[in-house]
Amino acid sequence: MGIQERKEREKERRRQQIIVAAKKVFSDKGFNKATMEDIATEAELSPGTLYLYFKNKEELYASLSLRILQYLNLRLAHVNKDADLPPDKKIDGLLEAMHDVYDFDPMIIINMFHLQSSETLRNLSPEVMDEIKELAGSSIAAIAKIFACGIKQGAYIDQHPTALADIFWSLFSGVILWETSKNVIDKKKDYLKKTMDLAFKIFINGISK
Amino acid sequence: MGIQERKEREKERRRQQIIVAAKKVFSDKGFNKATMEDIATEAELSPGTLYLYFKNKEELYASLSLRILQYLNLRLAHVNKDADLPPDKKIDGLLEAMHDVYDFDPMIIINMFHLQSSETLRNLSPEVMDEIKELAGSSIAAIAKIFACGIKQGAYIDQHPTALADIFWSLFSGVILWETSKNVIDKKKDYLKKTMDLAFKIFINGISK
Amino acid sequence: MGIQERKEREKERRRQQIIVAAKKVFSDKGFNKATMEDIATEAELSPGTLYLYFKNKEELYASLSLRILQYLNLRLAHVNKDADLPPDKKIDGLLEAMHDVYDFDPMIIINMFHLQSSETLRNLSPEVMDEIKELAGSSIAAIAKIFACGIKQGAYIDQHPTALADIFWSLFSGVILWETSKNVIDKKKDYLKKTMDLAFKIFINGISK
Amino acid sequence: MGIQERKEREKERRRQQIIVAAKKVFSDKGFNKATMEDIATEAELSPGTLYLYFKNKEELYASLSLRILQYLNLRLAHVNKDADLPPDKKIDGLLEAMHDVYDFDPMIIINMFHLQSSETLRNLSPEVMDEIKELAGSSIAAIAKIFACGIKQGAYIDQHPTALADIFWSLFSGVILWETSKNVIDKKKDYLKKTMDLAFKIFINGISK
DNA sequence: CATGAATGAGGCTTCATTCAT
DNA sequence: AATGAATGAAGCCTCATTCAT
C-alpha cells in the first residue's frame, strides 16, 4: 500500500522533473530544434528514460500545454467560485490570472500555438488530445462565464459570452506572440507587460456599454 | 531585347509557380513537416530546381511572408494616401485591408509567426531578414498613422499610436491563430470572419473616447 | 570501477574498429569517393554510429593521419633517446623507422597529402588540427635532431638540420607517392622498397661530407 | 580548306581558353571543390559548352596534366638534343627545366598527384590515359637518359638510370608537395625554392662518385 | 527501472550532366 | 556551336526511438 503509493509519487516526481526540463528546452529552442537528448541532459536523465514516462516527443510536448491549461483552469475556477463578486472584481481576477499564467511560463504560451497550429502533429494519442480539448474548452467556458455575468448585469455589450472569451484569449496570446517576435526581430526593450495592460484596458473598455 | 524580357518574365513565373506550391505545402504541413521534395512535386519541378530560385528552405519560406507583407503595405499605403479622409473612413479602409490580407492567404499569416518565433533559424540571408523587418515595421507604422489621425482629432484615447497598432495587429493575428487552432481541435464550423468583425468592433469601441 | 574501465575499453575498441574500416575504404577509394556508408558497412555498423565517435567525415579522416604520426613520433623518440648512439647508427634507426611507418599503413601516407593539400577543408575541429600540426612538427624536429647530431660531429654537410629533415621527408613521401601512382598507371611490379632504399642511400651519401 | 583550318584553330583556342580557366579553378579549390560552373564562369562560357570540348570533368582535369607533361617533355628533349653536352651541363639544364616546370604552374603539379593517386578516377577514356602514360614515361626516360650519360662517363654511381630518374622526380614532387602543405599548415614564409635547390644539390652530390 | 549505445530512415542540398532553344 | 535552365542521383548528417545490459 504505502510502498505502492510512494512508487506512484516517485513516478509522478520523475514526470515533473522531465516536464520542467522539457519546458526549458522547448522554450529555448522550439519544438523542432529541441532534441530528446537535450531534454534528457537538462533533466539529468538518459534519453531512454524519457520514453518510460512519455510515449514520444510530441506527447511530452503536449503535456506542457496540459500543465499550463490546468493551471489556468484552476485560477479561473477560483475567480468564478464566488458567484456574488461584482463583474469588475471578476475582471480584475481574470486579468490577474492571465498575468500569472504568463509569468508561470512565458515561452510555453508561444509554444502552445505551435502545438495547436497545423504544423503540429496528429500523432498525439487520443487521450492526450481529448484532455487538451477539454481543458481548453473549460478555460474558455470559465472566461465566458465571467463575461456572461457582466452581460447579464447590463455592464457589457450583449454578445455571445463565448465569442468574447475567444476574442479575449486571442488578444492575450496575440500580444504575447507579437511582442515576443518583435523582440526577436528588434532586440529592443520588452514592452510586453505595458502593452498587455493597455490591450486589456482597451478590450474591457470596448465591451463596456 | 524582347527575348531578354521574355526570359525575365518566365523566370518570374517560375518563382511564382514555386511560391504557390510552397504556400500550399507549408500551409498543409507546416514548415518542418513540409519537405523540399513535397514542394518540388507540388510545383511539378525537381528538387534541384527550387535551389535555382531560392537559396534554401528557409529563404523560400520567408519569401511567402515577404509577399503578404508587401501586399499589406500596399493596401495600407493606399489608405493613408488620402490625408483628408475622416478617421472612421480610414478605419473602414484598415479593416477592409485586413480582411483582404487574410483572404489573400489565410494560412500564411500563421506561418509568419513561426518565422518570427524563436524556433526560426538565422539561415536567412541578411537581405531577406532586413526586408522583412522593414516591411513589418512600415506596416505597423502605417497602421499607427491611421490611429494617430484619430487621436489628433480627439476621437480616440490618447495613447501612443504605435502601441495601438501593435495591439491591433496582435488582435488580428491572435484571432486568426486561435480560430484556426480551434478548428484543428474541433473541426467545427469556421466562425473566423464573424469573430474577427466582433473583435475589430470591440477594439475600435475600446479606443474611442 | 571495473565496469567503467571495460566500457572505456569497449569504446576504444569501437573507435579502432571504425578506424580500421575507414583506413581500408579511404585507401581503396580516396577521400571523396569513399562514403560514410561505405565505411559503416565495412565496419559492420550503421552510418549514425560513426558520428558517435567522429564529428564528421573529415575528422574521421584526420584521425588516420594522427594515428600514423603518433606511431612515427614514437619511433623517432626511441631513436633519439640514446644520445650517445653514433650518427650512422641513428640513421639506421631512422631508416628502419621510416620503413616501418610505411609498413604500418602504406596507403595512408598518400592520403595524408590530401589532408594537407588545399583541397582539404577546414571543418576539422581546431583541436584535431592543432594535434596534427604538433605531431608533424615534432616528427620533423626529431628527424632534424638526428641530422644535427651528424652535422655537429662533422659527418654531414653544414646545412640547417630542419631543412635536411624536410627534404628527407619529402623524398620519403615523394617516392611512395610516385611509385604508387606508377602502379596505378602501369600495374607493373612494385619496386617501392628497392627504390626507397636507393633513394635513402643517395640522400645519406648526398649529405655526407 | 582554309575555312576548315580556321575552324580547327578556333576550336583549339576554345580548348585552351577552357584549360586555362580550369587550371586556375582547380588550383584554387582542388578537384572536388571545383565545380564545372566555376570553371565555366572563369572561362566566360556556359557549363554546357565545356562538354563540347571535354567529355567530362575528369577528362578536363587530366588535360591539365597532359599539358604540363608536354611542356616538361619539350624542355627535356631540348636538354638531350645536344648529345655532346658534358653531364654537369646537362644536369644544369635539367634543374633549370624542373624549375621552369614548377613556375609554369606551381599548383597543377600538386594536382597531378591527386590525379595519379588512387583517388582518381578510372573514368578517363583510354586514349587520355594512354597519352598520360606515354608522356610520363617519356619524361622519365628523358631524365634517365641524362643520368645515363653521366653514369657512362663514370661521374655517377652505377645504378639503373631509370631508378635515378624516378627518385629524382619523386624528390622534386615530394618537395613541392611537402613545402606547399607546410604552408597550408603553418602560413609561414615560402621556402620552397631554397629547399628545392638544396634538395637537388644533395641529390646530385649523392649520386656522384 | 534506468541506461545510453546503436540504429536507420529521411531531409536538405550540391552539382555533373543533358537538352531544348 | 553555344546556352543555361532543369534534372535527379547521391552524399552527409541528424535524431527519434529501441533494446540489451
Side-chain angles (χ1 to χ4, degrees):
Chain A
M1 291 299 159
I3 208 167
Q4 183 75 15
E5 264 174 31
R6 197 191 49 210
K7 284 214 170 177
E8 210 59 37
R9 264 205 313 279
E10 290 230 337
K11 184 157 179 163
E12 185 50 29
R13 193 196 313 284
R14 256 310 198 251
R15 263 187 76 94
Q16 290 307 320
Q17 175 186 0
I18 295 171
I19 282 187
V20 168
K23 186 167 88 173
K24 176 162 174 35
V25 176
F26 281 135
S27 293
D28 287 354
K29 309 196 173 187
F31 180 75
N32 282 283
K33 293 263 176 192
T35 71
M36 290 302 266
E37 184 158 351
D38 288 339
I39 296 168
T41 303
E42 177 70 28
E44 296 178 42
L45 290 169
S46 79
T49 306
L50 303 192
Y51 288 85
L52 297 175
Y53 294 87
F54 298 90
K55 212 184 69 194
N56 54 38
K57 190 183 177 186
E58 291 169 20
E59 202 134 325
L60 170 53
Y61 191 44
S63 307
L64 305 192
S65 293
L66 274 181
R67 201 150 157 270
I68 202 162
L69 282 174
Q70 281 162 345
Y71 177 75
L72 174 60
N73 250 340
L74 207 70
R75 292 294 308 261
L76 294 175
H78 190 75
V79 172
N80 274 316
K81 196 160 50 183
D82 187 353
D84 300 331
L85 220 58
D88 58 335
K89 291 294 171 202
K90 285 195 175 175
I91 291 294
D92 287 349
L94 169 61
L95 299 193
E96 201 185 324
M98 299 313 279
H99 272 121
D100 290 350
V101 163
Y102 174 73
D103 287 336
F104 183 75
D105 189 353
M107 296 307 291
I108 212 61
I109 296 276
I110 294 159
N111 282 317
M112 274 183 61
F113 290 96
H114 292 212
L115 181 70
Q116 290 158 357
S117 83
S118 58
E119 169 132 18
T120 315
L121 331 157
R122 332 285 175 166
N123 300 22
L124 289 181
S125 62
E127 306 92 62
V128 175
M129 195 66 187
D130 285 349
E131 202 170 351
I132 287 184
K133 275 204 255 179
E134 193 188 304
L135 280 172
S138 75
S139 295
I140 289 293
I143 298 175
K145 196 174 167 193
I146 294 171
F147 293 137
C149 170
I151 293 169
K152 199 162 54 180
Q153 302 202 2
Y156 299 148
I157 56 177
D158 190 21
Q159 294 286 347
H160 197 303
T162 303
L164 297 187
D166 280 334
I167 292 168
F168 180 78
W169 177 255
S170 299
L171 181 60
F172 170 67
S173 48
V175 167
I176 292 177
L177 229 45
W178 177 241
E179 291 295 319
T180 307
S181 68
K182 273 204 308 183
N183 284 356
V184 169
I185 289 178
D186 245 339
K187 302 273 175 197
K188 275 205 202 116
K189 223 190 120 226
D190 184 355
Y191 285 114
L192 200 150
K193 292 245 163 171
K194 269 201 287 191
T195 306
M196 188 66 86
D197 284 338
L198 180 54
F200 284 160
K201 191 175 137 193
I202 290 171
F203 178 82
I204 300 301
N205 197 30
I207 63 169
S208 297
K209 274 188 175 159
Chain B
M1 282 293 176
I3 200 166
Q4 185 73 18
E5 264 175 33
R6 198 194 43 213
K7 287 223 167 170
E8 210 59 36
R9 265 204 312 277
E10 289 235 335
K11 185 158 181 162
E12 186 51 31
R13 193 195 313 284
R14 257 301 196 256
R15 257 189 81 94
Q16 291 309 321
Q17 175 186 359
I18 294 171
I19 281 187
V20 168
K23 192 164 84 173
K24 176 163 172 34
V25 176
F26 281 136
S27 293
D28 285 357
K29 310 196 173 187
F31 180 75
N32 284 284
K33 292 261 177 193
T35 72
M36 288 304 265
E37 187 157 348
D38 288 339
I39 297 169
T41 303
E42 176 71 29
E44 294 178 48
L45 291 170
S46 79
T49 305
L50 303 190
Y51 289 86
L52 296 177
Y53 294 88
F54 300 92
K55 214 182 68 198
N56 53 41
K57 190 182 178 185
E58 290 174 20
E59 200 132 331
L60 169 54
Y61 191 45
S63 308
L64 306 190
S65 294
L66 269 182
R67 203 148 154 270
I68 202 161
L69 280 174
Q70 280 161 346
Y71 178 74
L72 173 61
N73 246 342
L74 206 73
R75 291 294 308 262
L76 293 176
H78 191 75
V79 172
N80 272 317
K81 197 158 51 185
D82 187 354
D84 299 332
L85 220 60
D88 58 334
K89 290 294 170 201
K90 284 195 176 175
I91 291 293
D92 287 349
L94 169 62
L95 299 191
E96 200 185 324
M98 299 313 278
H99 271 121
D100 290 350
V101 162
Y102 175 73
D103 286 336
F104 182 76
D105 189 354
M107 297 307 290
I108 211 58
I109 295 276
I110 294 160
N111 282 318
M112 274 182 60
F113 289 98
H114 292 218
L115 182 71
Q116 289 159 355
S117 83
S118 59
E119 171 136 14
T120 312
L121 330 171
R122 318 299 176 176
N123 290 23
L124 288 181
S125 61
E127 307 94 59
V128 175
M129 194 65 188
D130 285 349
E131 203 170 352
I132 288 183
K133 273 203 248 180
E134 195 188 304
L135 282 172
S138 75
S139 296
I140 289 294
I143 298 175
K145 198 173 165 192
I146 293 172
F147 293 139
C149 172
I151 294 170
K152 199 160 55 181
Q153 302 202 2
Y156 299 149
I157 58 176
D158 190 22
Q159 293 286 346
H160 198 302
T162 303
L164 297 186
D166 279 336
I167 292 168
F168 178 79
W169 177 256
S170 299
L171 181 61
F172 170 68
S173 46
V175 168
I176 292 178
L177 227 46
W178 177 239
E179 293 295 319
T180 308
S181 70
K182 273 203 309 185
N183 284 356
V184 169
I185 290 177
D186 246 339
K187 302 274 176 197
K188 279 210 198 106
K189 220 188 124 231
D190 184 356
Y191 285 114
L192 199 150
K193 291 244 163 171
K194 268 200 289 192
T195 307
M196 188 67 85
D197 283 338
L198 179 55
F200 283 161
K201 191 175 135 192
I202 290 171
F203 177 83
I204 300 301
N205 197 29
I207 63 169
S208 298
K209 273 185 174 163
Chain C
M1 283 293 174
I3 201 166
Q4 185 74 17
E5 265 174 32
R6 199 196 40 215
K7 287 224 167 170
E8 211 60 37
R9 266 205 311 280
E10 289 234 337
K11 185 158 181 162
E12 185 51 30
R13 195 197 311 286
R14 263 290 200 262
R15 256 188 83 92
Q16 291 308 321
Q17 176 185 1
I18 295 171
I19 281 187
V20 168
K23 192 164 83 173
K24 176 162 173 35
V25 176
F26 279 137
S27 294
D28 286 354
K29 309 197 174 186
F31 180 76
N32 283 284
K33 293 263 176 190
T35 72
M36 289 304 265
E37 186 158 350
D38 288 339
I39 297 170
T41 303
E42 176 71 29
E44 295 178 47
L45 291 170
S46 79
T49 305
L50 303 191
Y51 290 87
L52 296 178
Y53 295 87
F54 300 92
K55 215 182 65 195
N56 54 39
K57 190 182 178 186
E58 290 174 21
E59 201 132 329
L60 170 53
Y61 191 45
S63 310
L64 305 191
S65 294
L66 269 182
R67 204 149 153 270
I68 201 163
L69 280 174
Q70 280 161 346
Y71 177 74
L72 174 61
N73 248 342
L74 207 71
R75 293 294 307 261
L76 294 176
H78 191 75
V79 172
N80 273 316
K81 196 158 53 182
D82 187 353
D84 299 331
L85 221 59
D88 58 334
K89 291 293 171 202
K90 284 195 175 172
I91 292 293
D92 287 349
L94 170 62
L95 299 192
E96 202 185 322
M98 298 314 278
H99 273 120
D100 290 350
V101 163
Y102 175 73
D103 286 336
F104 183 76
D105 190 353
M107 297 308 290
I108 210 60
I109 295 277
I110 294 160
N111 281 319
M112 276 182 59
F113 290 97
H114 292 218
L115 182 71
Q116 289 159 356
S117 82
S118 58
E119 173 134 13
T120 313
L121 330 171
R122 319 298 177 178
N123 291 21
L124 289 181
S125 61
E127 307 93 62
V128 175
M129 194 65 187
D130 284 350
E131 202 171 351
I132 287 184
K133 274 204 248 180
E134 195 188 303
L135 282 173
S138 74
S139 296
I140 289 293
I143 298 176
K145 196 174 166 192
I146 294 173
F147 293 139
C149 171
I151 294 169
K152 198 160 55 178
Q153 303 201 1
Y156 299 150
I157 57 176
D158 190 22
Q159 294 287 346
H160 198 302
T162 303
L164 297 186
D166 279 336
I167 292 168
F168 179 80
W169 177 256
S170 299
L171 181 62
F172 171 68
S173 48
V175 167
I176 293 178
L177 226 48
W178 177 239
E179 292 296 319
T180 308
S181 70
K182 274 204 307 184
N183 284 356
V184 169
I185 290 177
D186 245 339
K187 300 275 177 195
K188 276 205 200 115
K189 219 189 124 228
D190 185 355
Y191 284 113
L192 198 151
K193 291 245 163 171
K194 269 201 286 190
T195 306
M196 188 67 86
D197 284 337
L198 180 55
F200 283 161
K201 192 175 133 191
I202 291 171
F203 178 82
I204 300 302
N205 197 30
I207 64 169
S208 298
K209 273 189 175 159
Chain D
M1 289 300 159
I3 208 166
Q4 183 74 16
E5 264 175 32
R6 197 190 51 208
K7 285 216 170 176
E8 210 58 37
R9 265 205 313 279
E10 290 229 338
K11 182 157 180 162
E12 185 51 30
R13 195 196 314 284
R14 242 337 181 237
R15 263 186 76 92
Q16 290 308 319
Q17 176 185 359
I18 295 171
I19 281 187
V20 168
K23 188 167 88 172
K24 177 160 173 35
V25 176
F26 281 136
S27 293
D28 287 354
K29 310 195 173 185
F31 180 75
N32 282 283
K33 293 261 176 192
T35 71
M36 290 302 265
E37 184 157 352
D38 288 339
I39 297 168
T41 304
E42 177 71 30
E44 296 178 42
L45 290 169
S46 80
T49 305
L50 304 191
Y51 288 84
L52 297 176
Y53 294 88
F54 298 92
K55 212 182 70 194
N56 54 38
K57 189 183 178 185
E58 291 170 18
E59 202 134 327
L60 169 55
Y61 191 44
S63 307
L64 306 190
S65 294
L66 273 180
R67 201 149 157 271
I68 202 161
L69 281 174
Q70 281 162 345
Y71 177 76
L72 174 61
N73 250 341
L74 207 72
R75 291 294 308 263
L76 293 176
H78 190 76
V79 172
N80 273 317
K81 198 159 53 183
D82 187 352
D84 299 330
L85 220 59
D88 59 333
K89 290 295 170 202
K90 283 196 176 172
I91 291 294
D92 286 351
L94 171 61
L95 300 193
E96 202 185 321
M98 299 314 280
H99 272 121
D100 290 351
V101 163
Y102 175 72
D103 286 336
F104 183 75
D105 190 352
M107 296 307 290
I108 210 62
I109 295 276
I110 293 158
N111 282 318
M112 272 182 62
F113 289 96
H114 291 214
L115 181 71
Q116 289 158 358
S117 82
S118 57
E119 167 133 17
T120 316
L121 332 158
R122 331 286 174 167
N123 299 23
L124 289 181
S125 62
E127 307 94 59
V128 175
M129 196 65 186
D130 284 350
E131 204 171 350
I132 286 185
K133 273 203 256 180
E134 193 188 305
L135 280 172
S138 74
S139 295
I140 289 293
I143 298 175
K145 198 174 165 192
I146 293 173
F147 292 139
C149 171
I151 293 169
K152 199 160 57 182
Q153 300 201 4
Y156 299 150
I157 57 176
D158 190 22
Q159 294 285 347
H160 198 304
T162 303
L164 298 187
D166 279 336
I167 292 168
F168 179 79
W169 177 255
S170 299
L171 182 60
F172 171 68
S173 47
V175 168
I176 292 178
L177 231 44
W178 177 241
E179 291 295 320
T180 307
S181 68
K182 274 204 308 185
N183 284 357
V184 169
I185 290 177
D186 245 340
K187 300 274 176 198
K188 277 208 199 111
K189 222 189 122 230
D190 184 356
Y191 284 115
L192 198 151
K193 292 247 163 170
K194 269 202 286 192
T195 306
M196 188 67 86
D197 284 337
L198 180 55
F200 284 160
K201 192 176 134 192
I202 290 172
F203 178 82
I204 300 302
N205 197 30
I207 64 168
S208 298
K209 273 187 174 163

